[in-house]
Amino acid sequence: MKNKLLALTASALLTISVAASANQAEGQPETAAETAAAVAPASNANFFDPNYWTAAFTAPAQQPNISTELTFNAAHPGAWMQWVDPKTHMPTHTGFMNPVSYMQFMKPQFYFEFMKPENMMAWMNPASYQVMMDPQTMNYWMNPNSYMHMADPALYKETLNPANYMVYLNPATYAGLMGSGTCDQNNPNKTLSWFGYAC
């Protein structure tokens, strides 16, 4: 009986996932000339240049996911208070249910935040914990209804959407994180990568 119930639940969630992603707009196909220009080999082959090996990779469809923006700064207590604060808990929880949000943990900017003195000092500041010490916050989390959103199927919609995993299957994502793309230092779209900059 338990296995049948689990199978029924899994099939219902899969049906919701397929239905939710069925109406997504597809990107316009590139022309043959654009495709040929994007994968054209370099005239002077340099086997030691990472760009030579990754020139055929297309840019990730969801570029903001590997940008310099960090949506969760684990080095600062303010980010953890977003989970505790009743006003910001739902958006934070919903954001973390999207697999794309975990791309930020692969970027060097996420780890550089731990070396900033201002983030370390914030942990010593009692004002950083005012939300947690608020009696209204305590009352909210003592109410069992505060946890009922875990049973809402809408919370798992992005987790079950296969499109949200495509950024991890795209070699261009990792090429950008490794800094294999040549980037002009004056380009405002440059992002810090593990071995230089990428655009």
Side-chain angles (χ1 to χ4, degrees), residues 75-79 116-129:
H76 196 282
K116 292 184 178 178
E118 59 268 25
N119 287 335
M120 296 299 106
M121 292 304 296
W123 289 97
M124 307 301 170
N125 186 356
S128 299
Y129 306 98

Side-chain angles (χ1 to χ4, degrees), residues 50 66 68 107-109 112 174-185 189-199:
I66 58 171
T68 55
K107 297 182 294 185
Q109 295 91 334
F112 288 158
Y174 304 99
L177 289 171
M178 292 298 137
S180 60
T182 303
C183 184
D184 179 10
Q185 294 298 321
N189 296 323
K190 71 177 186 228
T191 60
L192 185 62
S193 61
W194 287 104
F195 300 106
Y197 286 91
C199 288

Side-chain angles (χ1 to χ4, degrees), residues 23-169:
N23 293 326
Q24 291 186 355
E26 294 184 9
Q28 297 294 328
E30 293 181 316
T31 63
E34 290 174 342
T35 304
V39 298
S43 56
N44 296 327
N46 180 359
F47 290 94
F48 298 103
D49 182 4
N51 297 312
Y52 181 77
W53 298 97
T54 60
F57 298 152
T58 58
Q62 298 174 341
Q63 187 68 28
N65 299 320
I66 58 171
S67 69
T68 55
E69 181 184 356
L70 292 176
T71 58
F72 181 73
N73 183 0
H76 196 282
W80 295 100
M81 292 302 112
Q82 291 176 359
W83 287 92
V84 178
D85 190 348
K87 299 182 198 74
T88 58
H89 175 79
M90 277 300 293
T92 304
H93 197 174
T94 304
F96 265 77
M97 293 305 289
N98 188 339
V100 172
S101 67
Y102 294 101
M103 181 57 66
Q104 64 186 309
F105 302 131
M106 300 174 70
K107 297 182 294 185
Q109 295 91 334
F110 180 83
Y111 300 97
F112 288 158
E113 290 294 321
F114 288 92
M115 294 186 278
K116 292 184 178 178
E118 59 268 25
N119 287 335
M120 296 299 106
M121 292 304 296
W123 289 97
M124 307 301 170
N125 186 356
S128 299
Y129 306 98
Q130 282 184 346
V131 172
M132 187 170 59
M133 297 303 169
D134 185 356
Q136 293 302 323
T137 302
M138 298 293 183
N139 288 339
Y140 176 83
W141 290 112
M142 291 298 289
N143 184 351
N145 190 47
S146 303
Y147 303 92
M148 291 307 295
H149 67 278
M150 295 290 293
D152 185 1
L155 184 65
Y156 305 96
K157 183 179 115 180
E158 298 300 329
T159 307
L160 298 172
N161 187 352
N164 291 329
Y165 295 91
M166 293 301 108
V167 67
Y168 298 101
L169 301 178

